[in-house]
Amino acid sequence: MGRRSPQPGSLIFLGIWSYYRLLKPPVELQSETQTAISLKPDIEDLVPSEASLRHSVSDPANASSFPKVLRRRLDNFLYDGHISPKADIALWIKMAVGLLVLAGCWIALYALNPDSWKFVAIYLLNGFAQTFLMLNIAHDSNHNAISSLRSVNKALNYVFDVCGINSYMWRILHHRGHHSCINLHGEDDALTGRSIFRFTPHEPRAPLQRFQHIYALFFYALFSLDYIFLRDFECFFFPSHEYLKRTRHPMREYAILFAGKGFYLTYMLILPVVLLGKSFLLVALAFVLTHIIIGLAVSLVFQTTHTVDSTYFPSSRDEFDSGVYHIFATTADYATGNPLVAWLAGGLNHHIAHHLCPFACHTHYAALTQIVKETAQEYGVPYRENPTMSRAILHHLILLKQLGSENSFSST
């Protein structure tokens, strides 16, 4: 008598387990799904895959060139030093922390049924946990960087779906729509401004974009809401990129799209109203505030790596002799001496190392960045870095102001 029933918490975990079982593909479909996600693009990535990279560094042709020397040094660090490029103990600890905080938030909500302001506070902490998991787990698993077993990476990639974003479409856009075409107008999905932003000098300027450096943070705050309610559906049903128009998505991915959205909106919006008796307006407010946190964090972590006033915007993918030079020209690091930034942002502030070795777990990026810096200095190749994240954000906004004020812009 008088004890709170554990049934709501049990329902939550039963729902999560059932959803995972739905997402886990049958054995006979795993290879088919993996092929569909990889897409086998007709345009190669700017940097070879893990397997081809290990063969390429032993190629004697132009063995003293900057790309060859850099790749050989990175390869030697990851393999000859008997260091696995996959997850180390540091990442597994981060993963455990993130998942415990996420689960703990929902256990606290249903076990304690806190009053309004405490409910919002715990709900917002859940938003921080989702951001942390997407940057630190889902992004690495997207690149098969956590485990040598694709099944493990595939399962962890569903963290995106648990956070409301379709993992299948994210993988396509991130690999084919970014890594293979960094800062290329019309190809790099990260430069898609949807007529609100002008991210590249090769795009026509609209009058409204004169103020884009002023309203940028407002729209960045809507980033994750856009993905949850609009962007994923647009990419499936009204694609703008040619490679999406040519792609036949497996029917299973359409089912996961709707199941994932339904699951996310149910546990984020509906269950707190039905099981906890919270007003829908309170839950909706907490939901919007949570996504302001997620949207701003994820947008700024990524935007400050390619669209700053020191990076270059090639006119074609053939402009550089090597994809390594392309990466150095179009990518900027920030705050690489700050371990806290790297810990929170999933190492994405070490972004050049990420593009050179996307198959490596982000906990290795600090050491790889040191090799990148030393080799670039030795060969006189410009290495771009902002000393802090706040400086990186400032230089991103400076670029937006320049692109919004001029019909053309020459980056260096």
Side-chain angles (χ1 to χ4, degrees):
M1 292 292 293
R3 295 178 61 187
R4 191 180 303 277
S5 172
Q7 186 176 8
S10 302
L11 288 174
I12 294 293
F13 286 106
L14 179 60
I16 293 174
W17 172 249
S18 300
Y19 180 61
Y20 173 77
R21 296 299 298 172
L22 169 66
L23 293 176
K24 184 174 178 62
V27 173
E28 64 270 16
L29 290 179
Q30 287 181 2
S31 60
E32 175 187 348
T33 303
Q34 185 61 47
T35 301
I37 291 178
S38 299
L39 291 182
K40 296 183 178 179
D42 51 352
I43 300 175
E44 297 295 332
D45 284 348
L46 289 170
V47 171
S49 65
E50 180 177 3
S52 60
L53 176 56
R54 295 191 66 184
H55 290 296
S56 70
V57 294
S58 62
D59 184 356
N62 298 318
S64 61
S65 69
F66 170 68
K68 288 289 184 181
V69 170
L70 176 59
R71 288 178 179 174
R72 183 162 59 246
R73 291 176 180 176
L74 295 173
D75 183 77
N76 289 342
F77 172 81
L78 290 172
Y79 299 103
D80 292 351
H82 304 291
I83 298 175
S84 169
K86 306 306 179 185
D88 55 12
I89 187 64
L91 182 69
W92 292 110
I93 291 174
K94 292 179 73 173
M95 192 181 305
V97 169
L99 291 172
L100 284 174
V101 172
L102 184 69
C105 288
W106 290 102
I107 292 173
L109 286 178
Y110 288 95
L112 303 176
N113 194 4
D115 56 27
S116 297
W117 73 267
K118 291 180 181 178
F119 170 84
V120 173
I122 297 174
Y123 201 105
L124 291 179
L125 181 59
N126 151 69
F128 282 108
Q130 287 187 36
T131 305
F132 182 83
L133 291 172
M134 284 191 286
L135 293 175
N136 287 273
I137 298 178
H139 181 257
D140 273 28
S141 64
N142 184 283
H143 288 286
N144 296 316
I146 292 181
S147 172
S148 298
L149 299 174
R150 284 188 175 271
S151 58
V152 173
N153 293 304
K154 178 69 174 176
L156 292 173
N157 205 34
Y158 285 122
V159 166
F160 275 126
D161 297 87
V162 173
C163 296
I165 296 175
N166 184 258
S167 58
Y168 169 81
M169 189 54 65
W170 173 276
R171 185 177 178 91
I172 294 175
L173 294 176
H174 192 62
H175 284 265
R176 175 56 185 85
H178 176 61
H179 271 258
S180 67
C181 53
I182 305 170
N183 279 11
L184 285 172
H185 172 58
E187 292 194 58
D188 189 345
D189 184 71
L191 299 181
T192 302
R194 307 176 83 174
S195 299
I196 299 173
F197 292 104
R198 185 186 188 219
F199 287 130
T200 166
H202 304 294
E203 183 176 2
R205 184 176 67 89
L208 176 66
Q209 293 161 352
R210 179 181 178 184
F211 307 102
Q212 63 179 5
H213 62 292
I214 298 174
Y215 59 67
L217 296 183
F218 170 78
F219 281 100
Y220 290 168
L222 304 178
F223 169 82
S224 56
L225 288 172
D226 177 45
Y227 254 95
I228 290 170
F229 292 106
L230 294 175
R231 189 76 197 283
D232 281 335
F233 294 103
E234 286 178 352
C235 290
F236 268 95
F237 299 102
F238 309 101
S240 57
H241 295 298
E242 286 299 322
Y243 58 86
L244 288 179
K245 294 178 181 179
R246 297 194 304 265
T247 303
R248 295 184 60 186
H249 308 298
M251 289 303 298
R252 180 175 168 275
E253 297 302 337
Y254 287 97
I256 291 176
L257 169 68
F258 287 102
K261 300 295 183 181
F263 173 75
Y264 183 73
L265 296 177
T266 296
Y267 87 81
M268 288 289 286
L269 288 174
I270 298 175
L271 292 184
V273 175
V274 174
L275 299 181
L276 296 179
K278 303 299 182 184
S279 73
F280 181 77
L281 288 179
L282 177 67
V283 177
L285 173 64
F287 182 80
V288 171
L289 290 177
T290 292
H291 280 282
I292 288 175
I293 293 171
I294 297 173
L296 279 173
V298 174
S299 295
L300 292 176
V301 163
F302 282 100
Q303 292 286 31
T304 48
T305 59
H306 296 293
T307 50
V308 293
D309 61 345
S310 63
T311 50
Y312 182 68
F313 297 85
S315 57
S316 74
R317 63 174 58 249
D318 300 323
E319 193 165 330
F320 295 92
D321 294 334
S322 166
V324 172
Y325 289 120
H326 186 129
I327 290 171
F328 270 80
T330 58
T331 309
D333 288 347
Y334 60 87
T336 58
N338 189 329
L340 179 60
V341 172
W343 199 85
L344 292 173
L348 290 168
N349 56 318
H350 297 268
H351 215 68
I352 294 175
H354 166 61
H355 274 278
L356 290 169
C357 301
F359 51 81
C361 170
H362 74 262
T363 50
H364 300 303
Y365 288 173
L368 296 174
T369 294
Q370 190 60 36
I371 296 173
V372 167
K373 289 182 179 181
E374 292 173 355
T375 309
Q377 182 178 16
E378 179 182 338
Y379 280 82
V381 175
Y383 166 78
R384 294 164 172 81
E385 179 184 11
N386 285 298
T388 64
M389 186 172 187
S390 60
R391 293 289 295 179
I393 294 172
L394 173 62
H395 284 283
H396 170 64
L397 296 177
I398 288 173
L399 175 70
L400 292 185
K401 183 176 181 179
Q402 291 173 335
L403 292 173
S405 301
E406 304 173 7
N407 289 323
S408 62
F409 172 70
S410 297
S411 60
T412 58

